[in-house]
Amino acid sequence: MNPGIGYGGSSFTKDLAAFRAVARECGYEFRLLDEVIRINEEQPKRFLRKVRDALWTLRGKRLALLGLAFKGGTDDIRESPAILLAQSLLQEGCRITAYDPAACQRARQILDSKLEFVNSPYEAARGSDALLILTEWEEFASLDLNRLSKELKYPIVIDGRNLYAPEVMARYGFTYHSVGRPAAAPERNLP
C-alpha cells in the first residue's frame, strides 16, 4: 500500500465489501476493515482540500490532470478516485485539461465534454495554474521537469501518488505538495 488519493477498481473494492458482509453475517464486527474502507473514501476529499489549500480558490482555475485510471497500466476507470476528483473539481468551477496514456476514451464516456482531453502530459500542463498527478503511471514518474515548469503558468505540482522527492521538485523550482509529506517550495535567493 502506498500513500495516495485512494484505491479503486472494481475487484478490490467488491472484495472488501464482500469480506465485510461475510464478517457481519458471522456476527463479527470487522472494525479494521471498516476503517480501511472509511479512510479510502476520505482520501479523495483530503486531496481536494490539499488542492484548495495550495491554490486558495478553485473557481476559474485551469488544472492539468495526469491520470484518470484507478491505477497505472490499465484503462479501467471503475471506482477510480481520479474520476471522482475530476468531477469534484468541475463542480468547483475548474477548467480541466486531462491526459492518461490509456483511459481517456473511457473517461470521455463519463466526463463527456466537460473537460479537454489531450495527447501528452506537457500539452495538459500548457498554461495551467497547477498540475495534479492522480495515477501512478511510470511515464508520469519520469517527466522532463525543466520542460514541465516551462509549460505551466505557475510551477505548482500537487502529487497524489508521491512520484517525486520533494527536494528534487524544489530544486527544479516547483512548489510541490504530496501526500503525507510536508510541502516543498523553491529556495528564494535573498540579497
Side-chain angles (χ1 to χ4, degrees):
M1 300 295 272
N2 295 322
I5 62 172
Y7 61 78
S10 64
S11 298
F12 190 60
T13 306
K14 283 182 195 173
D15 289 347
L16 291 181
F19 287 143
R20 182 165 54 180
V22 168
R24 285 183 179 156
E25 286 175 15
C26 294
Y28 181 72
E29 186 181 346
F30 202 158
R31 292 188 313 235
L32 176 61
L33 185 56
D34 291 339
E35 190 64 9
V36 166
I37 293 168
R38 186 197 66 74
I39 289 170
N40 189 63
E41 290 169 351
E42 181 67 21
Q43 283 307 101
K45 297 171 193 167
R46 287 177 188 230
F47 188 75
L48 186 58
R49 283 193 301 271
K50 187 175 287 289
V51 174
R52 277 193 205 103
D53 290 346
L55 299 174
W56 298 0
T57 183
L58 295 179
R59 183 158 303 287
K61 294 287 195 261
R62 181 182 169 117
L63 301 178
L65 302 188
L66 298 187
L68 297 166
F70 81 91
K71 69 177 184 176
T74 184
D75 67 350
D76 194 345
I77 59 168
R78 291 175 294 175
E79 304 293 328
S80 172
I83 295 293
L84 294 174
L85 280 163
Q87 291 168 329
S88 295
L89 292 164
L90 288 167
Q91 288 175 352
E92 297 252 357
C94 295
R95 293 175 296 139
I96 296 176
T97 305
Y99 170 71
D100 186 288
C104 282
Q105 190 61 36
R106 287 183 185 252
R108 189 175 276 118
Q109 295 168 1
I110 290 176
L111 299 169
D112 197 22
S113 62
K114 296 174 184 159
L115 56 87
E116 179 184 359
F117 294 93
V118 295
N119 297 314
S120 80
Y122 307 105
E123 191 178 349
R126 191 167 300 131
S128 292
D129 294 300
L131 177 124
L132 282 59
I133 301 173
L134 304 180
T135 306
E136 70 281 5
W137 284 94
E138 272 186 49
E139 175 182 351
F140 300 159
S142 59
L143 294 171
D144 178 338
L145 298 177
N146 284 319
R147 180 177 177 192
L148 184 65
S149 92
K150 290 175 186 166
E151 295 289 355
L152 286 164
K153 183 176 179 180
Y154 303 107
I156 300 170
V157 173
I158 308 163
D159 184 354
R161 298 299 180 173
N162 290 2
L163 297 184
Y164 290 93
E167 61 277 2
V168 170
M169 296 302 280
R171 202 167 42 246
Y172 277 88
F174 290 97
T175 299
Y176 179 75
H177 302 267
S178 54
V179 178
R181 306 183 291 189
E187 290 184 21
R188 306 279 186 243
N189 294 331
L190 300 174

